[in-house]
Each structure stands twice: as C-alpha cells, then as structure tokens.
Amino acid sequence: MAGLEHYNMTTNRYKYFRWTPRTAKVTFMFVGVVPTLFGILAYSTEGKWNLRAKRRGDVLTEY
C-alpha cells in the first residue's frame, strides 16, 4: 500500500517539476558535458585499437 503513492508521484513527475539551480546543473551536465567528453574520447582514440582477430600476446595498438 505504501508504494502506491510513490508510483503516483513518479507517473505525474512532470506536474511537480521545477527548474532550480540544482536541476539546471544536472541537466546541463547530462545534455552538454557528458556527451562532449565521450565525443572527445572517441575522436582521440579513433583507429588506435584493433581488437579484431587478436590472440593472447598480440599487441592491441596500431601505432
């Protein structure tokens, strides 16, 4: 019975949402900073690792 009220709040979260400085920071982090960091990491390691058909003892880096 106690979980029913929590479920109701979860399904109607958009009705109770407010933009506060904390929610703005969290949103900015997940929308802007995290994808940017993943993009930089992916771009910087592009083509450096070849994991295809490697055996034990083989070198993973291409250069």
Side-chain angles (χ1 to χ4, degrees):
M1 287 292 204
L4 185 61
E5 294 168 3
H6 182 266
Y7 178 75
N8 189 22
M9 183 67 173
T10 303
T11 56
N12 295 320
R13 187 180 306 267
Y14 68 95
K15 295 178 185 176
Y16 304 104
F17 180 78
R18 278 194 179 160
W19 283 106
T20 61
R22 182 178 183 271
T23 57
K25 288 178 197 172
V26 170
T27 302
F28 178 72
M29 291 296 285
F30 282 110
V31 171
V33 175
V34 173
T36 302
L37 291 177
F38 279 124
I40 291 170
L41 179 71
Y43 185 75
S44 65
T45 59
E46 173 87 33
K48 286 187 178 179
W49 307 99
N50 186 5
L51 300 176
R52 193 173 206 178
K54 295 292 182 182
R55 295 184 178 163
R56 187 180 306 165
D58 289 346
V59 180
L60 294 177
T61 56
E62 290 294 314
Y63 53 92

